[in-house]
Structures are given as C-alpha cells and as structure tokens.
Amino acid sequence: MEAGLVQAQPRWRDPKRHLWLLGLAVPTLPFQAGALTALTGVHAFWWWGPFFAFVIVPLLDASVGEDRDNPPEAAMRQLERDRYYRWCTYLYLPLQYGALVWACAQWARGGLSVLDRAGLAFTTAVVSGIAINTAHELGHKREALERRLSRIALAQSCYGHFYVEHNHGHHIRVATPEDPASARMGESFWRFLPRTVFGSLASAWRLEARRLERRGRRVINVHNDVLTAWLLSVLLMATLAAVFGPGVLPWLLLQAAGGIALLESVNYLEHYGLLRGTRPDGRHERVSPQHSWNSDRTTSNLLLYQLQRHSDHHANPLRRYQTLRHFDTSPQLPGGYASMIVLAWCPTLWRRVMDRRLLAHYHGDVTLANLHPRARAHLLKRYGTPAPSTATTARAMRSGVH
C-alpha cells in the first residue's frame, strides 16, 4: 500500500442479523397450534403456546448455550441507524393482531371444547405477553411512530398504562423499596403479583395526573395517556365482540390476564432482591448494570429482542436491542427467562436457587439486599450480618470504590 493511504476498516456485520427474525415466530403460535391440531387430530396442541414457551425454549436455551459477545463500539452507530432491526419489531404487530382475529374466529365457531378454547386462550396469552415486551422496546424510543406502535401492541393485554409507569416510574425507582415492579428478597411471586399489578396501575395514574396538572390540563381529558390506552383496549374488545359475538369476551379477557401474568413474572425475576444504595444526600445512587439480573441465553434473547440483557437496558434505556451489551459485573441468572419464570412460580425452589446467588452478589451481606418487610426479621436471623470488615468491603465494592 502506498504511503499516506489508510486502509479502510471492514464494515462489521452482525452474526445474528437474520436470526432476529425468529422473534416473529412468537405471534404465529396460535396459527401453529391450529395447524398442528389439524394435521395430527391431537387437541392437546391447542396448548402449543405454553409448551413452546416453557418446554421447548428452555431446552433450546440449554442446548444452544450463551452468547456473551458484544458488538464493537465502532459499530454501534451503524447498528442504531440500520432500520432493518426496527422492522423486526414493527412486523410483530400485524402478525400479533392477525393471530388474535384468527383466535376469535376459532372461539366463535363450534367444535372446540372448553379445554380446547382455554388452550387457545393461553397460547394467545403467550403472544400477548411477549407483545408487551415488543411494546417495551418500541416505547423507549424517541420516534413518535414507535411510541404509537407501542401503545397499539399493549391494547391486546389491556395493560396500556404500562407505557406510562414503566418509562416514568419503574426506570426512576428501579431496585428500590418504592418500586412496585422490583421484587424483594423473601417475597414470593404470588405475593409480588397483586402488589405489582395494583401498585403499577396506581403509580401510572398518579404520574399521568401530575404530568397533566403541570401543563394546566384536567386529569380526565383526551390527553391522558392512561385513559386513552384503556379506551383503545375497550374499543378493540368491543369491535371483536361485535364481529364474532359476545361469546369471545371471556377468552379475550383470559388471554389478557395470561399476558399480564407473563409480563409480571418477568418483572419479578429481573430485579429480585437487588437494591440501589443511598447517597449522602439521601437520594438513591444512579442505576448501574449491577441493579438488574442478566441472562445471555441465546435462544430466549433472540425471541425477546435481547430483553435479558436487562442491565445495559436500565443503565442506557434508549439503546436499541441490537446494541445491548453483556457486563461481567452484572448479576447473572442461571438460565433464560423461560426457565426462570417456571422456577419463580415455585417459591421454595426459587429461593433455594436465587437467594444464595443474591447473597453472593452482596458478598454475604444480606442487609445490602432489598428485603421484603414481612420476611426481614427471618432473613436477618437466618443469614445474620457479616463481620465489620466484610461488610465494609461489600459496601465499598457496591459503591464502586476499590
């Protein structure tokens, strides 16, 4: 090469570029269930969605393994600007609603038993629950189109207030006792579920009321994002009931409830027991990658638009999914979300697996964890407190002082 000429850097190519399209398999689960039932005559396939989510995906996670590679920093701008990745999320919505309409047609026609209809409802709930994750990815972005698509994706689960609470509540209070979406050590999923559902709803309403009051507007008006989100769900359900008959409403509500439970199962495991420290001025320390549980299981990350790289998401909420990074300092889950959700539904097994990992993250000092008030005395008695030197070291490492 002649002197003075600079060799051009090769353009980095994402090795998973085309694999992100696998996420679009999720909204086709009801179609898959119908096709498998028709081909085999086995009506158990109406339950294909839960089987896929909680049996097949964990098996694939275990066999495929982890991917801890990060895109090079030099490629981040290129990845962020590549609209291909946006279309991978945009296309979820037409498939999601196509599957919902098709499911309503199946519920409306004769020939399905109550058990078959319930299976289809829970298969559709998997689509609905993961649609909330798609809405989560879209709702964090600055572009108005993506924020609108986020609200449309949430309409099926009747959880539109998530758009307000997640962005303006959860991300501010994450890993603190004040956050209804951050699970506490010693708190079972079944205790967490009502607390997060009703707490998040109340928080979303307060946040939106405060926003409108600052702008000199009444709470009840067309600019209330919580009200308009709920009205969008009512309009959707009313339209489907008008087209297919009111008999579809119980199944629509069942799939919405299942989708909500799936989302809140994910919320439960994402920050379990993690606690941000308090600064000298009494405010919580800044959110860091140490305040979210991480998982680098390849298959479930492809299906969930890398939601499991949750530590980077909370530290950098505007990052798009294809640029989220693994951090060695983040606490790591022993499996992907699919297997951890099932574990979370079994409180005894969950505590046996996760409490020791949480304690290891805090170097044995249970007082550094976000403790469930009802379990606090029991946990302190069981695990005690470390020696002063150990506790001081743990607090120093937590604060980033070495």
Side-chain angles (χ1 to χ4, degrees):
M1 181 179 291
E2 294 181 10
L5 292 180
V6 179
Q7 184 177 3
Q9 291 293 323
R11 183 181 176 89
W12 184 81
R13 187 166 180 81
D14 180 4
K16 295 183 289 188
R17 180 179 177 85
H18 299 298
L19 293 177
W20 294 115
L21 290 171
L22 290 174
L24 299 178
V26 173
T28 67
L29 286 172
F31 298 129
Q32 296 175 38
L36 288 167
T37 302
L39 287 171
T40 65
V42 178
H43 286 233
F45 277 118
W46 288 116
W47 294 82
W48 175 246
F51 183 80
F52 175 85
F54 303 120
V55 178
I56 293 179
V57 173
L59 289 174
L60 288 172
D61 270 342
S63 59
V64 175
E66 295 184 330
D67 173 20
R68 297 194 172 192
D69 292 338
N70 294 329
E73 284 299 318
M76 291 298 186
R77 190 178 180 86
Q78 163 201 332
L79 283 172
E80 288 277 346
R81 289 183 167 185
D82 192 338
R83 298 191 71 85
Y84 164 81
Y85 294 97
R86 303 185 194 189
W87 279 101
C88 289
T89 54
Y90 296 169
L91 290 173
Y92 191 102
L93 274 72
L95 291 172
Q96 169 193 349
Y97 278 97
L100 181 63
V101 169
W102 183 84
C104 285
Q106 307 313 304
W107 289 321
R109 72 177 177 85
L112 292 185
S113 68
V114 172
L115 192 62
D116 294 342
R117 292 167 191 258
L120 179 56
F122 281 107
T123 292
T124 309
V126 174
V127 179
S128 176
I130 297 180
I132 302 177
N133 174 55
T134 306
H136 166 265
E137 171 63 25
L138 295 168
H140 273 290
K141 304 306 174 281
R142 290 193 174 101
E143 292 189 13
L145 171 63
E146 290 179 290
R147 293 199 299 270
R148 291 192 190 101
L149 291 175
S150 173
R151 300 179 72 184
I152 292 171
L154 289 167
Q156 179 179 344
S157 59
C158 304
Y159 222 51
H161 60 276
F162 172 86
Y163 174 86
V164 172
E165 159 58 20
H166 181 83
N167 290 341
H168 305 294
H170 176 60
H171 269 264
I172 304 301
R173 299 175 304 220
V174 64
T176 70
E178 295 78 32
D179 181 29
S182 293
R184 302 155 180 171
M185 184 181 187
E187 180 180 31
S188 74
F189 168 72
W190 304 107
R191 285 189 179 273
F192 170 78
L193 183 60
R195 180 173 74 83
T196 188
V197 168
F198 294 110
S200 296
L201 191 156
S203 174
W205 185 262
R206 286 194 301 269
L207 289 166
E208 189 62 6
R210 191 182 309 154
R211 181 184 73 87
L212 292 169
E213 286 169 5
R214 284 199 302 265
R215 299 188 177 190
R217 289 174 171 166
R218 293 178 301 173
V219 175
I220 308 297
N221 72 71
V222 295
H223 300 286
N224 186 315
D225 286 341
V226 173
L227 277 182
T228 53
W230 291 343
L231 287 172
L232 188 61
S233 291
V234 170
L235 178 62
L236 173 64
M237 300 300 171
T239 301
L240 291 172
V243 173
F244 296 103
V248 302
L249 284 174
W251 308 111
L252 285 171
L253 294 176
L254 183 60
Q255 66 82 28
I260 292 168
L262 186 56
L263 164 75
E264 297 300 355
S265 298
V266 170
N267 273 340
Y268 176 78
L269 58 91
E270 285 177 333
H271 307 284
Y272 176 77
L274 299 175
L275 182 66
R276 283 154 61 192
T278 304
R279 302 187 308 196
D281 63 2
R283 300 177 67 182
H284 293 294
E285 65 180 319
R286 185 177 178 179
V287 179
S288 80
Q290 297 186 42
H291 298 129
S292 305
W293 290 97
N294 231 52
S295 176
D296 287 301
R297 298 288 174 170
T298 304
T299 302
S300 44
N301 260 328
L302 288 169
L303 295 174
L304 296 174
Y305 303 116
Q306 221 150 226
L307 177 67
Q308 297 175 148
R309 288 194 169 182
H310 209 61
S311 297
D312 196 15
H313 166 70
H314 268 278
N316 302 281
L318 293 178
R319 273 185 179 268
R320 293 186 179 273
Y321 69 91
Q322 67 270 25
T323 64
L324 292 174
R325 299 160 297 176
H326 162 84
F327 291 102
D328 290 332
T329 57
S330 302
Q332 301 295 319
L333 293 169
Y337 278 10
S339 57
M340 297 307 296
I341 286 171
V342 176
L343 195 67
W345 293 341
C346 307
T348 301
L349 293 177
W350 172 265
R351 293 190 185 110
R352 187 174 299 169
V353 171
M354 288 302 297
D355 283 4
R356 62 184 178 85
R357 285 179 172 265
L358 180 62
L359 283 171
H361 177 63
Y362 288 125
H363 307 281
D365 189 350
V366 72
T367 65
L368 293 178
N370 185 5
L371 303 180
H372 184 46
R374 294 185 182 181
R376 185 178 184 86
H378 168 73
L379 291 169
L380 291 175
K381 182 179 179 180
R382 179 175 181 180
Y383 297 110
T385 54
S389 59
T390 306
T392 301
T393 302
R395 286 181 170 83
M397 292 184 69
R398 185 182 182 198
S399 303
V401 179
H402 302 283

